[in-house]
Amino acid sequence: MSTAETTAHAASARDVVPFRTAVRTWFAISLQTFGGPAGQIAVMQRALVKEKRWIGQQRFNHALSYCMLLPGPEAQQLAIYIRWLLNGTPGGLVAGSLFVLPGVLALLALSGLYVAFGTTTAATGLFAGLAPAVVAIVAQAVWRVGRRSLTHPALIALAVASFAALALFAVPFPLVIIGAALVAWLLAPCARPPRTPPTTARRH
């Protein structure tokens, strides 16, 4: 077997899913990622966790938590990380490129339309009408992700408290993250399901 064939065989052996199948799936995901990070994350959760079952819900939540802590666009980081898990470094590069390509093209098209017709009444009404639709998309996406992630009353209370700290009291984001991590660490033993005692064979 030649060196090229050995390298190709090793790369295919590392792929959790076929590379071409993953490319087609991520291209389809990129065409549906409207509504900002919340909508993009919801689309990935539906496609990868619920439909394809390429990654488990718990692993998806952990990856999302890590990406939220990193600077930069968390949705794109999540896409790169998940694709890296499935297909290695080439998969991560492809996912990152496909993830932003439709948005870049759409932004260029909308920018051109706005420069050409932005001052007209029809264009003003069009952009004003898009705002409620975007709010609805984001709200639906947040509900979908939260329903699958907040599976315990303590987690729901922690999410509400974090939102109140950010929105009402302007607490800095790092302090909210540190506080939430500390509270979750303290409540972790209470949130664990009770262990079932091992069954023993009945003696006759």
Side-chain angles (χ1 to χ4, degrees):
M1 183 180 293
S2 64
T3 304
E5 292 176 347
T6 303
T7 304
H9 177 73
S12 62
R14 289 194 303 266
D15 289 341
V16 178
V17 297
F19 193 87
R20 292 183 178 180
T21 302
V23 170
R24 289 194 297 266
T25 300
W26 281 100
F27 180 71
I29 290 175
S30 69
L31 298 178
Q32 306 172 53
T33 51
F34 296 95
Q40 294 164 345
I41 293 169
V43 169
M44 284 189 286
Q45 183 186 51
R46 173 177 55 81
L48 303 176
V49 178
K50 186 177 180 181
E51 297 178 357
K52 299 294 185 180
R53 300 185 183 274
W54 287 349
I55 186 173
Q57 183 64 50
Q58 185 176 11
R59 187 67 177 273
F60 184 89
N61 290 342
H62 288 172
L64 177 59
S65 299
Y66 294 145
C67 293
M68 289 291 291
L69 294 176
L70 299 176
E74 62 272 11
Q76 185 181 12
Q77 293 167 349
L78 180 62
I80 295 173
Y81 175 70
I82 293 178
R83 184 66 195 279
W84 174 79
L85 288 177
L86 300 176
N87 298 106
T89 302
L93 294 174
V94 172
S97 301
L98 288 177
F99 196 80
V100 299
L101 184 59
V104 170
L105 297 178
L107 185 60
L108 289 175
L110 289 175
S111 299
L113 291 175
Y114 186 79
V115 170
F117 308 103
T119 57
T120 63
T121 304
T124 302
L126 174 63
F127 285 106
L130 289 176
V134 172
V135 172
I137 292 174
V138 173
Q140 192 266 349
V142 170
W143 170 259
R144 185 189 304 172
V145 174
R147 185 179 58 182
R148 293 183 176 274
S149 301
L150 305 179
T151 57
H152 192 276
L155 298 178
I156 298 176
L158 190 58
V160 173
S162 300
F163 176 80
L166 291 169
L168 302 180
F169 302 102
V171 178
F173 178 76
L175 294 181
V176 174
I177 293 298
I178 294 173
L182 180 61
V183 172
W185 179 72
L186 294 174
L187 295 179
C190 302
R192 293 173 183 169
R195 294 183 178 180
T196 56
T199 57
T200 57
R202 182 179 299 176
R203 297 181 179 177
H204 297 283

